[in-house]
Amino acid sequence: MGTALIRAVRPAEYDAVGELTARVYLDEGYGSPQYEARLRDVAGRDASAHVLVAVLDERVIGAVTLAPYGSDWAEAAEPGNAVIRMLAVSPDARGAGTGEALVRACVDLARAEKCVRIKLSTEPTMTAAHRLYDRIGFVRAPSDDWEPVPGVTLLGYRLDLA
């Protein structure tokens, strides 16, 4: 497998990104049918946040959203923060560094926008993602743990950029 190109999503890719994100989250047990509409709302995310894609051989194999403070997608963000949301990599493209490239692109974009911190939330069972975040320098932030719906606890991570 070659190296994926990381870039901003194009409107013609919204459906593909929505399908990828929904399939990854729902097929792997992260989310619910009630959350599916949000997972598929790439146009909505792109309107107030940055949606990045990983493209290989003209196929979207990964995606992530970086939501700056004030975005509809930046729950729990404070001024100067950005939030990483909905990282998804196609199962057949994993292990090649695509997820890491997407997260590092978010870090670069947040720095370019003068953010001082990036936050993200992850489920306790997303252990591969935890290792990825640790490698990049994110640290666990238990004070950022939260329950978006009763019975679903998300773990908070932070990366200070200042």
Side-chain angles (χ1 to χ4, degrees), residues 16-27:
V17 171
E19 178 65 18
L20 170 68
T21 307
R23 290 289 51 92
V24 166
Y25 275 71
L26 298 175
D27 290 354

Side-chain angles (χ1 to χ4, degrees), residues 29-145:
Y30 306 118
S32 65
Q34 296 80 10
Y35 191 50
E36 184 172 359
R38 296 235 345 135
L39 293 168
R40 291 183 180 278
D41 186 12
V42 180
R45 291 197 299 276
D46 199 31
S48 72
H50 305 281
V51 179
L52 302 177
V53 292
V55 179
L56 183 64
D57 299 327
E58 300 181 35
R59 181 173 75 101
V60 174
I61 61 168
V64 67
T65 298
L66 180 72
Y69 173 76
S71 164
D72 297 337
W73 299 87
E75 290 109 339
E78 300 158 2
N81 289 185
V83 179
I84 290 178
R85 301 283 312 267
M86 299 178 186
L87 174 64
V89 175
S90 178
D92 66 345
R94 293 183 186 160
T98 303
E100 184 168 342
L102 284 163
V103 173
R104 288 189 184 280
C106 286
V107 172
D108 292 344
L109 183 55
R111 279 194 172 110
E113 293 199 347
K114 308 292 188 234
C115 293
V116 296
R117 175 177 291 145
I118 300 174
K119 293 181 170 186
L120 62 86
S121 299
T122 180
E123 292 200 25
T125 56
M126 293 178 165
T127 56
H130 302 168
R131 289 190 302 274
L132 166 74
Y133 302 139
D134 289 342
R135 263 195 321 274
I136 293 173
F138 283 83
V139 295
R140 270 285 288 127
S143 63
D144 291 341
D145 293 357

Side-chain angles (χ1 to χ4, degrees), residues 3-20:
T3 302
L5 170 68
I6 308 299
R7 61 165 170 73
V9 69
R10 296 176 180 156
E13 297 165 329
Y14 288 170
D15 288 343
V17 171
E19 178 65 18
L20 170 68

